[in-house]
Amino acid sequence: MHRTLPVLLLALVPALASAQATDASRALAQDAVIVDTHIDAPGMLMDGWMDLGEEAEGREFDYPKAHAGGLDVAFMSIYTSPKQDEDDSAWQVANEMIDSVEALAQRHPDKFALLLSPKDVDSLRKGDRVLLPLGMENGAPIGDDLSNVQFFFDRGVRYITLAHSAANAIADSSYAIERKWHGLSPFGKQVVAEMNRLGIMVDVSHLSDESAAAAIELSTVPVIASHSAFRHFTPDFERNISDELAKAIADGGGVVQIPFGTAFVNPESAADTQAHFRAINDFNKRNAELKAAGKPLESRAAFNKAWEEAHPPRQTRIDAVLDQVDYAVKLIGIDHVGIGSDFDGVGGELPDELRTVADFPNFVAGLQARGYKDEDIRKILGGNLLRTWAAIEAGAGGAAAAP
């Protein structure tokens, strides 16, 4: 047993070294354009207001942290839930979230600016401003009205995740057991065409394989996965992207943006997440049966408490994220990989060395330790996403969506 101890210590050295920011990694993080395509700060603002222009305790994104980490472009997630889709409040909630981002930029014009086009990145980020484009997570606010695609484009939305954790009027979710559309709905096909026309990025994260494949095939411009890890590491977890779909995105000129949340990059956590959605599905079915029988319903609070006690968070190291990058680069090439952290969206369940947006230098250090050249790190940090976004914008203005 004593002979194995030095070997174990040596095995830990690369992981420990890769977790530590260096002068070189900090310098590159500050100089490169870092684009994070998924930060859930607007949802956190709805839950409890804080001024994100100042240090915000307990939040993973705010201006001081972003400035320290070198973050330049932070896509603000305009997330709405399946429940809000069902009760027709998604449109209202989405607009309130957009208002909150606008208010943040207006309150701190020296720290933030809204971003509508990749062409404006260099000019707007001068003066150390953090740029705030909008990404709509779940197309539910569109409802069944195609004109809402234009409406939200005019409000600044530059990508739309077609569905989230349940089917909507557009597409199926990877989390749902039952599939409604087996691809895109007829309306969903119109939505994708309209997004192409306007220059809104089509985002296939969260979609079922059938829906993602249909969106990729239909789109006339590149598509993105705004925050999708690779299913190679989590074989039974459809939420993570398959090799086939990732290759299809890359073949079309798009990018796969890798998240940091342990639910996606840690296989055990991914299994817990998948089991959680199945358990919720069973819970909802039981309550529907109880309601139909006129019996008392089970408590969702009690269900949540029991689940959390039985499934505590799992410790994860930064290497789980770096392994995702390595795999992606080998599978689809260095030009088709980026980052979509999911900061403020995973309940703090993140790798030890990637706790907030201030920690991007740790990520850069990890890539440098694994032998990535600085020019390739710049691509992963944001160059690939900006190139793809520019191509989508250049492809806009084609024929209107079919009626």
Side-chain angles (χ1 to χ4, degrees), residues 17-26 359-363 365:
S18 70
Q20 301 299 318
T22 64
D23 289 344
S25 72
R26 292 189 189 95
D359 293 330
F360 282 115
N362 292 342
F363 178 69

Side-chain angles (χ1 to χ4, degrees), residues 312-331:
R314 301 177 187 272
Q315 185 177 25
T316 304
R317 302 301 304 271
I318 192 172
D319 296 271
V321 177
L322 298 172
D323 289 346
Q324 294 273 343
V325 174
D326 285 346
Y327 185 80
V329 169
K330 290 176 183 176
L331 180 71

Side-chain angles (χ1 to χ4, degrees), residues 316-395:
T316 304
R317 302 301 304 271
I318 192 172
D319 296 271
V321 177
L322 298 172
D323 289 346
Q324 294 273 343
V325 174
D326 285 346
Y327 185 80
V329 169
K330 290 176 183 176
L331 180 71
I332 58 178
I334 193 71
D335 294 319
H336 303 285
V337 184
I339 48 178
S341 66
D342 217 342
F343 280 130
D344 281 323
V346 290
E349 294 190 26
L350 293 153
D352 294 340
E353 306 87 355
L354 292 174
R355 307 302 302 180
T356 76
V357 294
D359 293 330
F360 282 115
N362 292 342
F363 178 69
V364 173
L367 294 175
Q368 290 174 328
R370 293 195 176 201
Y372 286 89
K373 298 177 182 178
D374 284 1
E375 62 190 70
D376 287 336
I377 294 174
R378 289 176 185 271
K379 292 181 178 181
I380 294 169
L381 291 177
N384 290 336
L385 187 281
L386 292 178
R387 182 201 69 244
T388 299
W389 186 7
I392 293 167
E393 187 176 84

Side-chain angles (χ1 to χ4, degrees), residues 2 53 55 89 91 107 161 169 199 209 232 276 290 302 306 334 356 360 363 380 400-401:
H2 292 291
E55 184 72 33
S89 65
W91 187 88
R107 188 179 302 114
T161 315
D209 285 356
H232 167 81
H276 186 224
L290 290 170
I334 193 71
T356 76
F360 282 115
F363 178 69
I380 294 169

Side-chain angles (χ1 to χ4, degrees), residues 146-165:
L146 194 63
S147 69
N148 276 331
V149 181
Q150 177 80 60
F151 172 84
F152 283 112
F153 175 82
D154 293 342
R155 292 228 60 191
V157 169
R158 290 301 180 265
Y159 78 67
I160 298 175
T161 315
L162 300 182
H164 188 253
S165 53

Side-chain angles (χ1 to χ4, degrees), residues 275-308:
H276 186 224
F277 274 94
R278 289 171 179 162
I280 290 173
N281 184 74
D282 292 342
F283 173 87
N284 290 336
K285 282 186 176 179
R286 288 196 303 274
N287 267 352
E289 291 169 357
L290 290 170
K291 184 177 181 180
K295 297 180 179 179
L297 302 184
E298 294 182 16
S299 165
R300 180 60 183 266
F303 168 86
N304 290 341
K305 185 175 184 292
W307 181 270
E308 289 168 5

